[in-house]
Amino acid sequence: MKKIIYWLFMLPLFALLNGCDDTDTIIFDDELPQFEIKANAILLEVIMPKGSAADDEYYIVGDFNGGAEAAVGNLEWQLEKATGSESKWGIYLLPSTFKDGKTLADGFYFVSASKGEERSVKNEAVVHQLDVKVGTRTNVWVDRWEAYFNTEEEGHDGFVVYVADKSGWDNLYLYGWAGAGDVTPAWPGIAVKGTEVINGVTYKYFDMGKALDGYEGVNLIFNNNDGKQFDGPVVTLNRNFYFRITDKGFEEIDPEASYCIYVDDQSGWEDLALYISGAGDNNEDWPGLEPAGTKEINGVVYKYFETDVELMNQSLKLTFNNNKKEDDPGLVLSFVKNITFSRDFYFSITPEKCEEIDPATHGTSYSLYVEDNTGWNALALYGYGEAAIGSSWPGIQVSETKEINGTTYKCFHLTPACTNKNINLIFNDNGVGNQLKDYNLTIDRDYYLRISEAGCSEIKDCTVYVQDNSGWEALTLYGWGDAAIGDSWPGIQVTGTREINGVTYKYFDLSEHVGKYSNLIFNNNGGGQQIEDGGLYTALIGDIYFSITATSYEKLPKP
């Protein structure tokens, strides 16, 4: 139930919390200022990654100071350790000392004397760019040092692939190949070596073997050695890797990062914030965190909140709110959810409710309706391209069968992961040996397809045939719903007449509305008589046959 909280009832809360005004923002401990601002200098306060030694030497490097050769080992460009923080260093930069007209906007990075150059969490080169002036303070973050990726872990053979396994498989193997041959042992590859808990997450791990150190272009395949598999990334084995997998795919993750909270925000609120309580000293001031960004998953754009590692596996109270601060006018709108923070969480928020959702099934999804004329004993569907249909060959099975307008369709209900993706479809006889040529579609709606051993084609026609026994001088057809038949009452005129098996039918060509639904109303061209005031709810696909009198209708089988 939605909670509408007036500021009168919020006063006790704010008596307990630190006061805030329009200029307040959420500040973490490692972001607090540690050095005094100097009027003639640019101050950079640098937040180092965990494990950065206090007795190490750290330098700033860029074109503005002559590059690494000139800067590393030079006290002028060495950072100073903050006395009040375990993770922060600082440096004062005088623009008068910059070389060749270069500035921080031309790019810079940091170097550790013992651990090498600064790197991203994916082991990529880093270049910061800042347009700042003297008399200012700016926080800069370093994610990793080069040594983090170049050092094999003690007790392991070579670099390690860690897997947070959400596949549900009984067994997990990792196969690797490059060029025309195996890199790992032959299929199914390497078995899980063991498990390891890192920041509260249990990983299965694979030791890749020291002999493979530095091997480039390794194609990884996760599998269960029992018919289930999917392609992983192509990697160079020069560091440890961390993945989260399901039975359909993988995601590379940062083991030092906490879980995230994702929100499909349909609340209509002007802003969204998240207040987290029940977490000891990790509480934030009201109204809490603002979204760190957005991420698209299966066609749905989520706002997400990043959290501290210290919150992992704690019992938390989440209060999603409309970011109203103490002196803001209006109502505080909020929803409360209690969780144990042992994984990523996904929520959908509307004006009426907040509910947890499964991102694999949440969002818009479409179906394929297949008129199967192949004569095969079974039918399966595999797809590849921007999204996969089926984690392995022969793909997915028929979801259900439906009779529509006298035709039996085999239905494949696709997941939201396929929505708006371009996919190559391969219909096959469930892996026995027959398959059709690839058929390419962008899955942006339901499709009606007709297949035979000759191939696959889209059904693009819809014709309504009427055996007219009404006695009316004229017959028209009006429709409302997904498809509007006729711009206005009484609708469209008869397209023509056809004789089928000795019976003369009046027919309406509705091919422009194929695949949609409409409530059909037969009438005497607006002369005051009509059949079914509410409309005959009909799927507009293929040939549809009716027999009508002045007061009734009958849907006929195909002749």
Side-chain angles (χ1 to χ4, degrees):
M1 180 177 67
K2 179 169 69 175
K3 296 186 177 181
I4 301 178
I5 307 173
Y6 291 88
W7 282 113
L8 177 61
F9 302 117
M10 291 299 296
L11 290 177
L13 171 65
F14 288 110
L16 297 173
L17 298 175
N18 292 326
C20 61
D21 57 32
D22 286 337
T23 62
D24 284 342
T25 57
I26 298 168
I27 304 297
F28 297 98
D29 288 344
D30 58 5
E31 299 176 43
L32 294 173
Q34 297 294 330
F35 297 86
E36 295 295 327
I37 293 175
K38 295 182 179 180
N40 66 334
I42 297 168
L43 170 59
L44 300 185
E45 296 198 2
V46 185
I47 302 165
M48 300 297 189
K50 291 182 179 179
S52 297
D55 59 354
D56 200 352
E57 297 176 359
Y58 303 98
Y59 299 90
I60 187 171
V61 175
D63 290 343
F64 75 94
N65 65 2
E69 186 174 346
V72 176
N74 188 334
L75 287 174
E76 182 180 3
W77 308 114
Q78 183 176 339
L79 277 65
E80 175 186 352
K81 177 74 170 63
T83 57
S85 170
E86 295 301 316
S87 60
K88 213 166 199 184
W89 276 252
I91 187 169
Y92 293 100
L93 301 173
L94 304 177
S96 60
T97 65
F98 292 176
K99 304 179 184 303
D100 301 324
K102 301 293 184 180
T103 70
L104 297 181
D106 294 300
F108 64 95
Y109 60 95
F110 297 97
V111 174
S112 159
S114 68
K115 296 185 177 182
E117 293 183 2
E118 174 184 4
R119 305 294 286 179
S120 74
V121 294
K122 293 188 176 181
N123 198 19
E124 301 163 330
V126 174
V127 177
H128 303 278
Q129 292 178 303
L130 290 176
D131 183 10
V132 290
K133 299 178 180 179
V134 296
T136 62
R137 175 194 291 112
T138 303
N139 281 329
V140 185
W141 282 261
V142 175
D143 290 319
R144 297 284 188 274
W145 297 116
E146 187 177 4
Y148 176 88
F149 300 101
N150 293 339
T151 303
E152 298 172 4
E153 293 193 25
E154 185 177 350
H156 289 284
D157 180 14
F159 292 107
V160 185
V161 173
Y162 292 91
V163 179
D165 182 10
K166 307 294 183 182
S167 68
W169 296 340
D170 292 333
N171 298 292
L172 180 63
Y173 291 84
L174 181 62
Y175 174 72
W177 63 275
D182 301 330
V183 174
T184 64
W187 186 267
I190 308 171
V192 171
K193 182 70 177 294
T195 61
E196 199 167 314
V197 178
I198 303 173
N199 288 331
V201 178
T202 299
Y203 293 88
K204 297 176 181 177
Y205 67 82
F206 301 88
D207 285 356
M208 301 306 292
K210 189 167 181 59
L212 296 182
D213 284 4
Y215 207 116
E216 298 180 353
V218 181
N219 299 267
L220 300 180
I221 301 178
F222 296 95
N223 71 90
N224 71 343
N225 195 28
D226 191 25
K228 301 293 186 182
Q229 67 183 69
F230 59 83
D231 292 342
V234 180
V235 302
T236 297
L237 294 176
N238 59 359
R239 63 179 175 93
N240 295 330
F241 290 88
Y242 297 81
F243 299 106
R244 182 184 297 120
I245 70 167
T246 67
D247 62 337
K248 296 180 176 63
F250 74 94
E251 176 186 14
E252 187 170 0
I253 58 177
D254 180 1
E256 297 299 325
S258 180
Y259 300 116
C260 287
I261 296 169
Y262 295 86
V263 179
D264 177 13
D265 181 13
Q266 305 298 325
S267 65
W269 300 340
E270 186 175 344
D271 290 306
L272 177 67
L274 173 59
Y275 178 74
I276 301 175
S277 56
D281 294 334
N282 290 291
N283 291 349
E284 297 295 335
D285 289 343
W286 181 269
L289 300 170
E290 294 186 359
T294 60
K295 184 176 182 180
E296 182 175 338
I297 304 173
N298 292 344
V300 178
V301 177
Y302 293 85
K303 297 176 181 177
Y304 67 90
F305 298 88
E306 295 178 338
T307 61
D308 289 339
V309 172
E310 289 78 8
L311 297 183
M312 294 173 68
N313 300 308
Q314 292 201 43
S315 295
L316 304 178
K317 181 178 180 180
L318 309 180
T319 304
F320 298 100
N321 65 83
N322 60 341
N323 204 26
K324 291 289 186 182
K325 299 182 177 71
E326 187 174 8
D327 55 357
D328 289 339
L331 303 177
V332 173
L333 306 176
S334 67
F335 293 107
V336 175
K337 289 290 181 180
N338 294 296
I339 66 170
T340 299
F341 203 22
S342 58
R343 55 180 171 83
D344 289 339
F345 276 81
Y346 297 81
F347 295 95
S348 171
I349 298 180
T350 67
E352 292 77 29
K353 63 182 179 179
C354 172
E355 60 181 354
E356 188 178 355
I357 56 173
D358 180 353
T361 58
H362 181 69
T364 302
S365 60
Y366 296 106
S367 298
L368 304 179
Y369 296 85
V370 181
E371 180 185 331
D372 180 10
N373 299 314
T374 61
W376 297 337
N377 291 328
L379 182 65
L381 173 62
Y382 180 77
Y384 69 95
E386 293 180 350
I389 299 176
S391 58
S392 60
W393 183 263
I396 62 174
Q397 305 296 307
V398 172
S399 305
E400 62 174 328
T401 59
K402 282 188 177 181
E403 185 174 317
I404 304 174
N405 301 330
T407 299
T408 299
Y409 292 89
K410 296 178 179 178
C411 309
F412 295 93
H413 299 317
L414 307 181
T415 67
C418 298
T419 298
N420 295 322
K421 299 297 193 298
N422 186 266
I423 302 177
N424 299 286
L425 308 178
I426 304 178
F427 292 99
N428 66 86
D429 61 352
N430 202 29
V432 174
N434 295 303
Q435 66 184 68
L436 301 184
K437 182 180 179 182
D438 296 10
Y439 189 77
N440 182 264
L441 283 180
T442 296
I443 310 299
D444 55 0
R445 56 181 171 86
D446 290 340
Y447 281 88
Y448 291 81
L449 304 173
R450 183 179 291 120
I451 65 172
S452 67
E453 289 190 314
C456 175
S457 61
E458 184 180 356
I459 301 173
K460 296 184 177 181
D461 57 288
C462 178
T463 305
V464 173
Y465 291 91
V466 182
Q467 187 178 332
D468 184 10
N469 300 311
S470 66
W472 297 335
E473 293 183 4
L475 175 65
T476 52
L477 177 60
Y478 179 78
W480 57 274
D482 293 338
I485 312 302
D487 294 332
S488 59
W489 183 262
I492 63 173
Q493 305 296 314
V494 170
T495 305
T497 60
R498 281 182 186 154
E499 185 174 317
I500 303 173
N501 295 341
V503 178
T504 299
Y505 295 88
K506 296 175 181 178
Y507 71 89
F508 300 87
D509 185 356
L510 304 184
S511 297
E512 65 177 298
H513 305 294
V514 69
K516 298 180 180 179
Y517 283 79
S518 188
N519 299 274
L520 304 180
I521 302 177
F522 297 104
N523 66 89
N524 66 339
N525 200 26
Q529 291 183 286
Q530 64 189 60
I531 302 172
E532 288 295 313
D533 290 344
L536 312 173
Y537 191 62
T538 304
L540 303 181
I541 187 70
D543 295 336
I544 312 168
Y545 290 82
F546 290 98
S547 172
I548 69 168
T549 69
T551 58
S552 65
Y553 79 96
E554 180 184 3
K555 200 168 185 180
L556 302 175
K558 288 185 177 181

